[in-house]
């Protein structure tokens, strides 16, 4: 689950479903990371896993009308969600910051979809699975990278990811911070299904604000 805590009117988010759909299609066609994840999810589905079989939905989300579709909506503003029962990913255009943000949210939710298939053994442990997939999703989607994102964490990317992974785990687990800390080292350095030699160097940089 990917959160945007700025629920007030934000000029950077999509205010047009048409623009959101166009950027979404562009990311789906041209992002190597997005396509790599979709390929591996499709391979998992061939083995009997059923995620993303109903695709990706882009919409303008509304707190009052979408509570049944988006879980724990009351806690934060959700930019996207991998909905397991409905076998799809939902992207909230009016909570997504342009094409760069679109790619981040899509990667984040696709990592959740991939992990749901890959970590069948870990899902039985509930909070461990939730903490791990949140850590991986924030890390592999290049979040906590810009100077603005790191400002509140003194430039420490790991602490930034721990914070947001904890916030995303809290709605599901009372001991979210403890689980994130316990799972962090293992899951933070798990780049699957990406080749570590190619992705790891990119994940050690700090990028200018987008």
């Amino acid at each position: 689950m990917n959160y945007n805590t700025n629920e007030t009117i934000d000029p950077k988010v999509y205010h047009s479903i048409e623009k959101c759909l166009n950027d979404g299609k562009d990311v789906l066609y041209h992002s190597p990371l997005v396509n790599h994840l979709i390929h591996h999810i499709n391979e998992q589905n061939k083995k009997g896993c059923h995620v993303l079989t109903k695709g990706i939905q882009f919409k303008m989300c509304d707190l009052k009308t979408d509570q049944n579709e988006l879980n724990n909506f009351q806690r934060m503003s959700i930019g996207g969600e991998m909905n397991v029962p409905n076998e799809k990913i939902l992207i909230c255009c009016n909570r997504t910051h342009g094409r760069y943000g679109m790619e981040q949210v899509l990667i984040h939710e696709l990592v959740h979809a991939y992990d749901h298939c890959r970590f069948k053994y870990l899902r039985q442990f509930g909070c461990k699975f939730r903490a791990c997939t949140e850590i991986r999703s924030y890390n592999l989607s290049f979040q906590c990278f810009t100077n603005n994102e790191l400002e509140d964490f003194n430039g420490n990317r790991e602490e930034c990811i721990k914070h947001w992974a904890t916030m995303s785990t809290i709605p599901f687990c009372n001991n979210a911070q403890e689980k994130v800390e316990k799972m962090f080292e293992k899951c933070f350095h798990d780049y699957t299904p990406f080749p570590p030699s190619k992705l790891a160097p990119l994940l050690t940089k700090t990028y200018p604000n987008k």
Side-chain angles (χ1 to χ4, degrees):
M1 191 175 292
N2 180 265
Y3 294 105
N4 167 23
T5 55
N6 298 316
E7 181 62 2
T8 55
I9 297 174
D10 188 337
K12 294 181 181 180
V13 302
Y14 290 101
H15 298 283
S16 161
I17 187 65
E18 290 78 16
K19 174 62 175 172
C20 178
L21 285 171
N22 286 337
D23 282 1
K25 290 177 182 178
D26 185 65
V27 171
L28 289 170
Y29 280 121
H30 297 114
S31 169
L33 298 179
V34 167
N35 281 282
H36 189 79
L37 281 163
I38 290 175
H39 168 75
H40 283 275
I41 290 168
N42 288 336
E43 291 299 307
Q44 292 284 350
N45 283 339
K46 290 177 183 178
K47 300 175 183 177
C49 189
H50 299 286
V51 296
L52 209 59
T53 59
K54 296 182 180 177
I56 299 170
Q57 179 184 6
F58 300 88
K59 66 180 294 185
M60 307 298 278
C61 295
D62 185 314
L63 173 61
K64 295 180 180 179
T65 60
D66 294 323
Q67 288 189 27
N68 292 332
E69 190 155 25
L70 291 169
N71 297 323
N72 298 286
F73 217 148
Q74 71 279 9
R75 293 182 179 270
M76 295 183 186
S77 301
I78 298 175
E81 182 178 56
M82 197 280 288
N83 193 310
V84 175
N86 292 330
E87 299 179 13
K88 67 180 180 180
I89 285 173
L90 176 62
I91 303 296
C92 291
C93 297
N94 51 322
R95 292 172 182 171
T96 301
H97 290 72
R99 190 194 180 285
Y100 176 75
M102 175 75 72
E103 186 172 18
Q104 280 189 317
V105 174
L106 277 170
I107 293 170
H108 185 109
E109 301 307 329
L110 287 167
V111 171
H112 283 321
Y114 177 77
D115 284 354
H116 183 78
C117 293
R118 178 189 175 213
F119 290 139
K120 290 181 180 179
Y121 75 94
L122 189 58
R123 292 208 313 261
Q124 63 182 309
F125 297 106
C127 291
K128 287 184 179 180
F129 166 74
R130 175 64 60 176
C132 186
T133 191
E134 292 296 352
I135 292 164
R136 279 174 36 78
S137 292
Y138 279 105
N139 187 31
L140 298 179
S141 60
F142 291 82
Q143 292 170 293
C144 291
F145 260 82
T146 67
N147 293 327
N148 281 347
E149 290 174 316
L150 295 173
E151 185 177 0
D152 293 334
F153 304 94
N154 296 317
N156 189 321
R157 184 165 183 266
E158 292 190 12
E159 289 304 312
C160 179
I161 289 176
K162 284 181 182 179
H163 169 79
W164 289 112
T166 300
M167 294 298 287
S168 294
T169 305
I170 283 174
F172 307 93
C173 306
N174 294 329
N175 55 347
Q177 185 173 2
E178 175 188 339
K179 294 302 182 184
V180 168
E181 287 287 349
K182 184 173 183 177
M183 302 298 293
F184 189 80
E185 284 302 314
K186 178 180 180 180
C187 300
F188 181 75
H189 296 288
D190 181 357
Y191 306 121
T192 311
F194 301 106
S197 60
K198 293 184 179 180
L199 197 63
L202 299 176
L203 293 172
T204 59
K205 297 180 180 180
T206 300
Y207 293 90
N209 296 325
K210 299 290 183 180

